[in-house]
């Protein structure tokens, strides 16, 4: 006698399930996210995810495991290859996430064409568009290739049959929220469907040695839509950052089993789609303004040094409490540095509105930007220009001291390449590099007061 199907209520944000409806999810605290789903009983003998491993495989000492270089193939985009760790690994599963219109499908389709032109077979499965719509976008992007196969399908069983027949080297699913598995009694995009389809796609990729790119939607908060288990299933998670109307996009890895998660890729949106930006520092400084409250800070993302323009506006206000606004910088960090400036440097900045932003839209979260933020806010407060062709970096402590940061030589060499003449840096880094760095003037600062006097000299 077949088992009776059971009904549960599943949170669409975190995947928490309960036997009855709840207004607030106990798992993540979200309101009105519990949706009724029918859970079918698992067939007898189902053992979960199986990757075609033999039952004869036995545990062995880790020192006896054979090492081999992971074979990679290039995508045709140097920026994407950088973020992936050097290219795509067959059998891996990559999740690409971003806001609607940010360029996920455009970049993926262009990569598919480049991979197909290199002699590999690519299968592009679209669940949101017709094949005619994909062809129209491919014409605009110049992404036409004989080995690029396109199909509009949402049934997972049919997709697996297409994979078995075409035997592609790269499989693209656009998007995971549109794919459904017939055995799962819930709507496409639900927690159950996303979880089950992702596990099946991972099995297909691993057992056939196919690299899989899966495109995912995001919620209104900018997080991945669907259960968090989806991020744990895949090998790599890439997030697109940037407004849909902005000119530049940032691709950042938040998880990568085959490379670093500190790398980022930069793209420029043009009429032919997303184009790589190899010289990011020059791009971010192309519209630099020499005014009070403006400072250039060097940041390092993975192995890439970036020079970005940081702007601060400090103005008196009759409102209480004064406003604090930050764009691409942590607002809590701004509040901390304002307190340090008022306590240690005696700047009466507490009664002023403070606005801080990074030109170009790239987000900065490393402590090395602390000193540059302090100098920018002090410059705007005093309405004084910073020394021309100067970069500033260093971590700021609560007692007002300037602490050393890592990879200082990389930051300085990048500034030197772009024609900067002065560097204000922590005293410890200055002592280490004073005799090694030539062609650019270094100024060591032990406290914030020292840095302000060096950045805004009276003469």
């Amino acid at each position: 006698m077949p088992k009776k199907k059971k009904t549960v209520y599943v949170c669409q944000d975190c995947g928490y399930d309960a036997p009855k409806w709840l207004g607030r999810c106990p798992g993540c605290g979200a309101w009105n996210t519990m949706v009724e789903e029918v859970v079918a009983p698992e067939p007898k003998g189902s053992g979960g995810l199986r990757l075609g491993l033999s039952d004869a495989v036995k545990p062995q000492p880790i020192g006896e495991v054979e090492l081999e270089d992971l074979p990679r193939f290039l995508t045709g985009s140097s920026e994407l290859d950088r973020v992936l760790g050097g290219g795509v690994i067959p059998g891996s599963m990559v999740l690409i996430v971003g806001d609607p219109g940010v360029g996920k499908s455009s970049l993926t389709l262009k990569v598919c064409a480049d991979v197909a032109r290199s002699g590999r077979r690519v299968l592009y499965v679209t669940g949101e568009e017709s094949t005619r719509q994909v062809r129209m976008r491919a014409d605009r992007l110049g992404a036409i290739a004989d080995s690029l196969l396109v199909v509009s399908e949402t049934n997972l069983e049919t997709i697996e049959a297409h994979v078995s027949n075409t035997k592609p080297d790269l499989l693209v699913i656009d998007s995971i929220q549109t794919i459904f598995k017939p055995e799962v009694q819930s709507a496409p995009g639900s927690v159950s469907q996303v979880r089950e389809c992702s596990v099946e796609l991972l099995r297909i990729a691993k057992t056939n040695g196919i690299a899989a790119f899966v495109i995912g939607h995001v919620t209104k908060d900018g997080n991945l839509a669907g259960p968090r288990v989806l991020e744990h299933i895949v090998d790599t998670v890439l997030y697109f950052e940037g407004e849909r109307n902005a000119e530049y996009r940032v691709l950042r890895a938040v998880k990568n089993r085959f490379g670093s998660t500190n790398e980022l890729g930069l793209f420029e949106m043009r009429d032919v789609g997303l184009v790589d930006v190899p010289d990011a520092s020059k791009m971010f400084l192309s519209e630099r303004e020499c005014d009070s409250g403006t400072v250039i800070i060097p940041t390092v993302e993975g192995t890439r040094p970036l020079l970005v323009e940081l702007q601060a506006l400090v103005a008196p206000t009759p409102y209480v409490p004064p406003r604090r606004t930050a764009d691409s910088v942590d607002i809590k960090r701004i509040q901390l540095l304002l307190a340090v400036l008022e306590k240690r440097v005696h700047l009466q900045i507490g009664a002023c509105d403070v606005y801080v932003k990074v030109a170009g839209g790239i987000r900065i979260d490393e402590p090395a930007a602390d000193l540059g933020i302090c100098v920018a806010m002090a410059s705007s407060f005093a309405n004084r220009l910073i020394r021309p062709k100067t970069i500033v970096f260093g971590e700021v402590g609560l007692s007002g001291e300037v602490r050393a940061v890592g990879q200082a030589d990389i930051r300085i060499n990048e500034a030197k390449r772009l024609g900067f003449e002065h560097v204000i840096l922590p005293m410890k880094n200055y002592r280490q590099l004073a005799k090694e760095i030539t062609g650019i003037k270094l100024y060591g600062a032990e406290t914030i007061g020292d840095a302000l006097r060096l950045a805004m000299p009276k003469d």
Side-chain angles (χ1 to χ4, degrees), residues 128-139:
E128 300 180 345
E129 301 174 295
S130 65
T131 54
R132 184 171 299 177
Q133 289 174 306
V134 176
R135 169 61 192 271
M136 292 172 60
R137 188 168 71 249
D139 286 336

Side-chain angles (χ1 to χ4, degrees), residues 59-67:
Q60 59 180 321
I62 189 171
E64 298 180 5
V65 177
E66 295 183 1
L67 292 176

